[in-house]
Amino acid sequence: MSTLGTEARPLRVAIVGSGPSGFYAAQPLQKQDGLHVTIDMFDRLPAPFGLVRGGVAPDHPKIRSVTKVYDKIATAPGFTFWGNVKVGEDVSIETLRRHYDAIILAYGAETDRKLGIPGEDLPGSHTATSFVGWYNGHPDYRDLEFDLSQEAVAVIGLGNVAMDVARILAKTPDELRDTDIAQHALDALAESKVKTIYIIGRRGAAQSAFTTAEIKEMGHLTDCEPVVLQEEIELSPASVLEEEQDNNVRKNMEVLRELAGRTLSDAKSRRMHFKFLRSPVELKGGERLESMVLEKNKLEGGEPFKQKARGTGETEELPVGLVFRSIGYRGLAMPGVPFDEGSGRVPNDKGRVLENGAPVPGLYTAGWIKRGPSGIIGTNKPDSLETVQMLLEDLPNLTPCPEPEPVAMLAELAGKGVRIVKFEDWQKIDAVEIAKGEASGKPRERFTRIAEMLQVLED
Ligand code: NAP
């Protein structure tokens, strides 16, 4: 029986990743009665909060305000933020294991699923997530360019990321100006020539992955008219059952029917066409993307909630100069950590990391890298709690790490010239961003380069 978690020997936990799942793993540890714990949270960026900062759309500030909860967690005793430290590169998992009794991998799903069709990599074809990172000023995507001189754009996928991308493309500069959208994106979008936005779903309206609030917003855009044709939203018998049995489907269908019942006017300069039951089979063009071939689908599988899209062989070609592929995120492997290539996740049982089917002592996972890229921010709360419960169950049998004082790790990081950004450092960066935003009536103006953030700490 170990004494880990006592006053004499607090439990040392490293959390890798500072997005919602990381913070929701820290919270129940802090709240655990009688447990003495120190939590060190690592992030490769100098700024915390993962997708809350880099993913949530700038015109959804309410969703972003969840960071107030994370601020409290980060400033509680025993918590240290280790920003600007890349686990797996600046410091290895093996090193972390020497200094921590337990590690919770909560590093999210950083890349995208591929369509796997010809022309996918043509200039003009982008992942939705790169566009999201770009308009949110994420340093990885700062220098990307999107050819917004194109008039016709397609967004592939029916999830909330697809909705975010389509909505940002559809909004006027005035609708975005007082948000914290990155200035370079606002400037580029102000010059946008986009007139037609197609949203392409491989399954039907009833199988849309977006949530009702997101589709509703499309009906309230200043200069963009949503176009939903009645024939696009007619439901198969199994889809009718899905609508009857699922509240979200029912609410989404209500909104889609309301949109379909509208009389289209020419008063707005942009249109957003919803096209269901179509899969892209080829992106065509010479030097760059010129069109997209779609195959019409029908639903197969019979049973409600199990219907799959099956191509009918009938195709159509849409002239589009830009495509945003929004078909889901995908997790990446981390050196020294078991990984399942098939699912893009860290294999686990309720958060206990598994290697060849057996739990790896002291190694846990939470969030998208645990369960896959699904759910809203709040979904991470019970998910991370489940992981922490496994850790606490294992606590009596955990082997204490050999070097609780991370002297060797600090020396390793110093040797590599890594400037560790503590939470107090981040608060300085945060304050400067907010002050910069005030000047232009925005909640904040983000630093879009890591060097700029670090410079604040030198000044
Ligand atoms: P998502 O919700 O999983 O949606 C992915 C979409 O891509 C689905 O419509 C899916 O269709 C489609 N798709 C997958 N493979 C495809 C293929 N090969 N060809 C054509 N379409 C394909 O993923 P997401 O939009 O990336 O969002 C990730 C998570 O973040 C979601 O849980 C989402 O709700 C959440 N999120 C929430 C908000 C918010 O709350 N405002 C904002 C952004 C993201 P099928 O259904 O047929 O598989």
Side-chain angles (χ1 to χ4, degrees):
M1 190 88 152
S2 88
T3 55
L4 287 179
T6 60
E7 200 171 355
R9 177 59 170 84
L11 173 70
R12 289 181 48 75
V13 179
I15 298 179
V16 182
S18 69
S21 59
F23 276 101
Y24 291 130
Q27 195 176 43
L29 284 168
Q30 289 178 336
K31 283 189 173 165
Q32 187 66 25
D33 265 351
L35 179 75
H36 293 263
V37 59
T38 63
I39 300 168
D40 288 0
M41 180 180 276
F42 293 79
D43 201 290
R44 69 184 176 92
L45 291 180
F49 311 140
L51 280 181
V52 177
R53 179 176 159 95
V56 170
D59 57 343
H60 283 172
K62 236 175 159 176
I63 303 182
R64 284 231 170 105
S65 64
V66 69
T67 57
K68 289 199 188 103
V69 176
Y70 307 158
D71 282 341
K72 279 205 183 117
I73 297 169
T75 48
F79 183 104
T80 308
F81 180 58
W82 295 62
N84 199 35
V85 179
K86 298 182 191 72
V87 175
E89 202 176 309
D90 297 330
V91 62
S92 66
I93 284 288
E94 290 72 28
T95 302
L96 289 188
R97 285 176 77 73
R98 278 209 308 280
H99 301 299
Y100 296 91
D101 311 309
I103 300 171
I104 302 177
L105 303 161
Y107 65 89
E110 269 191 70
T111 185
D112 306 81
R113 289 194 197 124
K114 296 280 277 179
L115 279 169
I117 59 171
E120 188 164 6
D121 297 321
L122 270 176
S125 163
H126 305 274
T127 60
T129 53
S130 64
F131 189 63
V132 170
W134 173 77
Y135 64 57
N136 274 329
H138 190 297
D140 288 1
Y141 307 100
R142 166 68 180 87
D143 295 316
L144 296 184
E145 285 181 12
F146 301 93
D147 182 2
L148 298 170
S149 69
Q150 300 297 323
E151 288 199 1
V153 177
V155 181
I156 299 166
L158 293 176
N160 280 333
V161 172
M163 294 302 108
D164 285 349
V165 166
R167 193 179 63 256
I168 295 293
L169 287 166
K171 281 198 166 179
T172 61
D174 282 345
E175 287 174 286
L176 296 170
R177 212 177 297 285
D178 62 355
T179 74
D180 63 6
I181 189 166
Q183 192 58 41
H184 62 253
L186 184 59
D187 293 343
L189 287 162
E191 299 296 316
S192 165
K193 299 279 183 288
V194 171
K195 290 269 172 279
T196 308
I197 300 161
Y198 297 103
I199 296 182
I200 313 288
R202 67 174 165 182
R203 296 194 291 157
Q207 289 76 39
S208 301
F210 49 67
T211 38
T212 309
E214 274 62 28
I215 183 68
K216 236 186 202 161
E217 275 184 277
M218 301 307 194
H220 302 285
L221 298 167
T222 308
D223 194 28
C224 183
E225 188 98 71
V227 183
V228 180
L229 298 182
Q230 198 59 50
E231 72 231 36
E232 292 281 340
I233 56 169
E234 271 158 23
L235 301 184
S236 67
S239 299
V240 171
L241 291 176
E242 289 182 16
E243 185 180 359
E244 280 170 14
Q245 291 166 22
D246 187 308
N247 223 6
N248 292 325
V249 177
R250 198 173 46 70
K251 287 192 285 176
N252 281 350
M253 288 307 303
E254 236 168 61
V255 178
L256 287 168
R257 286 194 190 104
E258 189 270 315
L259 296 176
R262 287 188 184 187
T263 310
L264 293 178
S265 87
D266 286 332
K268 299 188 179 182
S269 75
R270 289 178 172 150
R271 289 202 167 183
M272 182 186 290
H273 300 262
F274 286 81
K275 288 181 165 280
F276 297 102
L277 289 169
R278 289 171 179 83
S279 284
V281 287
E282 186 180 357
L283 301 185
K284 286 167 77 170
E287 299 278 291
R288 68 177 317 288
L289 178 69
E290 287 162 21
S291 68
M292 174 168 66
V293 182
L294 296 171
E295 181 174 10
K296 292 202 178 149
N297 294 330
K298 58 181 182 183
L299 291 177
E300 270 190 3
E303 275 182 71
F305 307 107
K306 292 204 172 136
Q307 300 183 90
K308 289 209 160 83
R310 169 65 69 92
T312 60
E314 189 186 339
T315 57
E316 64 182 326
E317 195 164 336
L318 276 187
V320 286
L322 265 183
V323 160
F324 294 99
R325 305 173 326 256
S326 184
I327 63 166
Y329 289 81
R330 198 187 141 74
L332 286 174
M334 177 170 281
V337 173
F339 190 70
D340 176 31
E341 279 297 339
S343 63
R345 292 186 282 151
V346 170
N348 71 92
D349 179 20
K350 296 185 182 141
R352 288 183 177 109
V353 174
L354 302 177
E355 189 157 40
N356 304 321
V360 182
L363 201 55
Y364 301 87
T365 182
W368 279 7
I369 198 65
K370 167 191 177 187
R371 69 172 190 276
S374 67
I376 56 171
I377 291 171
T379 314
N380 292 297
K381 214 169 171 179
D383 177 284
S384 295
L385 179 62
E386 178 189 61
T387 298
V388 169
Q389 279 165 344
M390 297 305 113
L391 192 164
L392 294 173
E393 226 173 70
D394 297 344
L395 187 56
N397 301 312
L398 280 187
T399 309
C401 64
E403 293 172 58
E405 288 303 319
V407 182
M409 181 170 75
L410 282 166
E412 193 177 326
L413 290 171
K416 289 180 179 164
V418 175
R419 164 65 159 100
I420 302 162
V421 176
K422 294 288 165 76
F423 205 74
E424 311 83 88
D425 295 327
W426 153 247
Q427 286 171 318
K428 286 184 199 147
I429 298 170
D430 187 36
V432 176
E433 285 192 350
I434 291 170
K436 280 206 307 165
E438 260 166 30
S440 44
K442 297 168 82 173
R444 75 170 61 236
E445 189 61 62
R446 283 127 193 270
F447 289 108
T448 58
R449 301 191 193 281
I450 290 172
E452 289 171 354
M453 295 189 211
L454 300 183
Q455 188 57 46
V456 171
L457 307 177
E458 302 308 314
D459 290 345

